[in-house]
Amino acid sequence: MFDLLLTNGLVVTPSGAHPLDIGISRGKIVSLRATGLGSPDEALRVVDLRGQLVVPGGVDPHVHTNSVLPTAAESGIKCFGPDRVSEGAIYGGTTTLVDFAHWQPGDELADSFKRKSAEWEGNTYTDYALHGTFKEPEIPFEVLEQIPDAVAAGHGSYKVWMTNTTPTRPKQKTDLGNMWGLMEQTAAAGAMLAVHAEDDDIVMYAYKKLQHQGKTGLEYMHHAHNNLSEKLSFQRAITLAEHVGAPIYLMHVSAREGVDAIREARGKGQPVYGEILPHYAYFTAEDYRQENGAIYHTYPSLKSADDRDSMWESLLDGSLSTLATDGVCTDLEVKTRGRTILDATGGHAGVEMRMAVAYTEGVAKRNLDLTRFVDITSANAAKILGLYPHKGAIAIGSDADLAVLDTTVDRRITSADLHEADYTPWEGYRVAAWPSMTVLRGQVIVEDRQLQAGPEGTLLEQHVSSDVRNRPAC
Ligand SMILES: [Zn+2]
Ligand SMILES: [Zn+2]
């Protein structure tokens, strides 16, 4: 007897899209068979998903919660916590979020994971994992040496910054030497290293020059966070990774130069993975000129139409691997307080729209294959961060995390449809798919746009496979 049987949906498995019935017991997928072969009596509950698309619950590998917003540092304003962000995610068909556990000087590495996990536990509608995160110029050897134990305990990914991002923020850059040491440890321990790559020298000089010229409006953001910075920093990070033999995950690729650097490294067999943000694949730096242009901004920055187009080329040809949000959820008033290159808040509310935008822009507009849609919205992030195949696959034995999408819709989305903030950069955006049900480990959490169950998400262990660590596997 199944706990739940989902019948008649078009189900996207690793081998393609097929009409299948999905049998679920104790939170796992235990049966996949051709539609119509079973009897409804076999399950406590049967849901007919005729005409609906069923894909693995989304995995968003890059969200921030409860972070003090650097530009609002004096007031101590933080972005929203796991409760709000995970609510948006689960409504949007995403069932796993990956946040950041900041190591602070004086911490044992394990303390940073415990501290961040305490913020999530009991407050999340999705499952979650945590990138160990270093925002310090130097990482002491004693801390680096704790990485193997942390990896063995299931903390399989880390993040580091190559820039302080703006001249006005608290310092967060780790220099290349310390990054080298960090890479040696993560590679040896079998972990993935995520990198915020920007060339600090170029970015800080560009800020100085723009300030000198009086060009500090938001519309100059891409002159500070520019293509040269992306080219130099990606090449340096990739060269260092090649020297060490380390797998790396380059977050928020924003320029054609970044795409090219990743494509070239992967062509040589290097395990380098790239992440795209939906708005980098849709908006351009011209949108900074709109009223409330800040709502489109995430660091590094939006760039030209050619850069935007390179995002989709690379998602279609497989050079880049994931679609993340870099979600930093606040209300509009907070998001638009900063209106210059010096004080704009990065990140925005986008978690709930990610799956629908990926389907609309990818599948509906560009003929993206359905398995590739799954790759970029869940499977690849799960593989790169060591969550696969528990997450990111509709397969026997996988967690029953499912997003059901109604692909017959044609509607415009407004912020009133959404849950993570009081605004959306996608206001008025016309979707070709909209989530109708989200299932987490066999439990229906959202149905007919209503929450059905409480926040019972749990911390996931990450164990990155040797395949992913040794070659560009996805
Ligand atoms: Zn970043
Ligand atoms: Zn981020």
Side-chain angles (χ1 to χ4, degrees):
M1 179 69 97
F2 303 128
D3 297 330
L4 180 63
L5 181 64
L6 303 175
T7 62
N8 294 314
L10 179 63
V11 179
V12 186
T13 71
S15 65
H18 314 280
L20 293 173
D21 292 350
I22 305 173
I24 295 165
S25 279
R26 289 182 296 280
K28 302 276 186 193
I29 296 168
V30 295
S31 165
L32 285 171
R33 66 188 175 204
T35 289
L37 289 182
S39 133
D41 310 336
E42 299 170 288
L44 296 177
R45 184 178 177 208
V46 180
V47 182
D48 188 340
L49 298 178
R50 202 171 302 263
Q52 310 263 309
L53 180 69
V54 188
V55 295
V59 177
D60 187 338
H62 186 166
V63 301
H64 300 268
T65 65
N66 287 335
S67 317
V68 174
L69 301 172
T71 52
E74 307 89 77
S75 55
I77 295 177
K78 292 178 176 179
C79 63
F80 294 148
D83 51 345
R84 192 82 181 269
V85 180
S86 69
E87 188 182 347
I90 207 83
Y91 270 101
T94 290
T95 50
T96 297
L97 296 172
V98 189
D99 192 2
F100 299 83
H102 291 242
W103 174 80
Q104 289 168 5
D107 272 357
E108 296 284 310
L109 188 51
D111 297 340
S112 47
F113 291 108
K114 280 185 203 137
R115 188 169 51 232
K116 192 65 192 177
S117 177
E119 295 175 24
W120 279 81
E121 217 49 41
N123 292 312
T124 175
Y125 293 93
T126 66
D127 284 347
Y128 68 100
L130 299 169
H131 300 287
T133 303
F134 297 101
K135 284 187 134 177
E136 298 294 328
E138 277 188 38
I139 310 165
F141 288 108
E142 308 83 82
V143 175
L144 289 178
E145 285 158 5
Q146 293 167 17
I147 288 177
D149 282 347
V151 174
H155 298 297
S157 66
Y158 295 82
K159 185 183 182 189
V160 70
W161 274 256
M162 295 175 77
T163 179
N164 290 317
T165 310
T166 72
T168 47
R169 293 181 165 214
K171 299 284 179 254
Q172 61 182 21
K173 174 193 142 187
T174 299
D175 70 34
L176 213 59
N178 277 273
M179 207 167 119
W180 179 23
L182 177 58
M183 246 184 221
E184 286 182 328
Q185 283 292 343
T186 53
M192 182 61 62
L193 184 64
V195 182
H196 177 128
E198 291 193 76
D199 188 283
D200 200 58
D201 292 348
I202 295 295
V203 170
M204 293 306 152
Y205 177 76
Y207 268 102
K208 237 182 256 178
K209 192 167 147 190
L210 288 164
Q211 284 177 275
H212 174 71
Q213 296 170 335
K215 296 177 175 173
T216 56
L218 196 61
E219 68 274 22
Y220 296 103
M221 189 65 95
H222 58 302
H223 295 275
H225 299 271
N226 53 46
N227 294 53
L228 175 62
S229 157
E230 182 140 331
K231 182 174 183 170
L232 289 169
S233 63
F234 276 46
Q235 287 176 347
R236 291 178 100 192
I238 287 169
T239 302
L240 196 57
E242 184 184 25
H243 177 78
V244 173
I248 55 170
Y249 178 60
L250 289 156
M251 289 184 150
H252 41 53
V253 179
S254 70
R256 186 175 281 281
E257 286 83 348
V259 174
D260 288 346
I262 291 173
R263 190 181 278 133
E264 192 190 327
R266 289 166 66 91
K268 293 192 288 183
Q270 219 182 316
V272 174
Y273 301 94
E275 169 190 283
I276 286 182
L277 311 180
H279 57 297
Y280 283 178
Y282 188 78
F283 300 105
T284 70
E286 282 302 303
D287 290 297
Y288 288 138
R289 295 176 187 275
Q290 288 195 43
E291 196 197 348
N292 288 335
I295 65 175
Y296 307 104
H297 176 59
T298 297
Y299 292 101
S301 75
L302 293 163
K303 296 208 165 53
S304 70
D306 178 62
D307 294 305
R308 176 197 60 196
D309 295 346
S310 74
M311 301 295 138
W312 277 108
E313 289 166 24
S314 65
L315 283 174
L316 288 162
D317 76 11
S319 313
L320 295 194
S321 303
T322 66
L323 199 64
T325 57
D326 199 352
V328 175
C329 294
T330 66
D331 277 330
L332 180 66
E333 189 274 319
V334 170
K335 177 60 179 161
T336 54
R337 272 188 200 183
R339 289 179 176 269
T340 74
I341 57 171
L342 292 159
D343 66 359
T345 294
H348 60 205
V351 174
E352 189 166 350
M353 287 293 286
R354 188 183 66 108
M355 299 283 279
V357 170
Y359 184 92
T360 306
E361 294 299 313
V363 181
K365 292 189 187 169
R366 294 176 175 85
N367 279 319
L368 187 73
D369 191 80
L370 283 173
T371 52
R372 186 78 187 128
F373 168 71
V374 167
D375 286 345
I376 66 171
T377 54
S378 66
N380 287 352
K383 287 175 183 172
I384 293 163
L385 300 180
L387 301 166
Y388 195 85
H390 304 293
K391 306 299 187 190
I394 297 181
I396 304 285
S398 291
D399 286 358
D401 291 3
L402 304 166
V404 181
L405 304 176
D406 180 354
T407 55
T408 63
V409 299
D410 178 8
R411 57 180 285 194
R412 290 186 188 280
I413 299 304
T414 72
S415 58
D417 294 311
L418 305 173
H419 302 83
E420 69 196 289
D422 67 355
Y423 80 98
T424 173
W426 302 98
E427 186 71 34
Y429 180 79
R430 195 164 162 186
V431 293
W434 197 234
S436 56
M437 177 187 276
T438 312
V439 179
L440 175 69
R441 283 179 279 105
Q443 195 175 12
V444 176
I445 312 287
V446 178
E447 190 170 6
D448 300 327
R449 304 298 291 167
Q450 295 292 329
L451 270 178
Q452 307 292 327
E456 290 169 24
T458 185
L459 177 64
L460 303 170
E461 286 196 13
Q462 300 169 253
H463 298 283
V464 185
S465 77
S466 58
D467 204 29
V468 167
R469 288 185 276 119
N470 292 319
R471 64 179 186 88
C474 61

